């Protein structure tokens, strides 16, 4: 959802979230001595947390559920 912020700035919350995740990956990669494993990348991106939240939402009949 795009909203107009004060001073005429446009904010795209999805794009901002993606930029934040990319920044988190860049920081983790620069701090690592070797390449990040897939498990490390998932941890940085909080994949397990997102999946758990999606499962919980599904149990409660979240959006898209009937």
């Amino acid at each position: 959802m795009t909203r107009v912020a004060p001073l005429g700035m446009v904010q795209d919350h999805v794009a901002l979230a993606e930029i934040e995740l990319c920044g988190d990956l860049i920081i983790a990669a620069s701090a690592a001595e070797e390449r990040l494993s897939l498990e490390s990348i998932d941890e940085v991106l909080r994949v397990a947390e997102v999946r758990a939240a999606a499962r919980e939402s599904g149990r409660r009949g979240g959006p898209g559920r009937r």
Side-chain angles (χ1 to χ4, degrees):
M1 175 163 145
T2 303
R3 296 182 186 200
V4 177
L7 303 175
M9 295 175 53
V10 175
Q11 291 186 0
D12 182 335
H13 296 284
V14 173
L16 292 173
E18 289 176 357
I19 291 167
E20 183 177 349
L21 290 173
C22 287
D24 291 346
L25 277 175
I26 291 168
I27 291 167
S30 64
E33 293 182 18
E34 297 183 12
R35 294 181 112 184
L36 293 176
S37 67
L38 293 178
E39 293 82 12
S40 296
I41 292 170
D42 285 352
E43 185 178 327
V44 170
L45 297 178
R46 298 177 289 278
V47 171
E49 294 172 27
V50 172
R51 287 182 179 162
R55 280 193 301 272
E56 182 63 29
S57 175
R59 280 190 220 121
R60 290 182 294 190
R65 298 286 179 162
R66 294 182 187 228

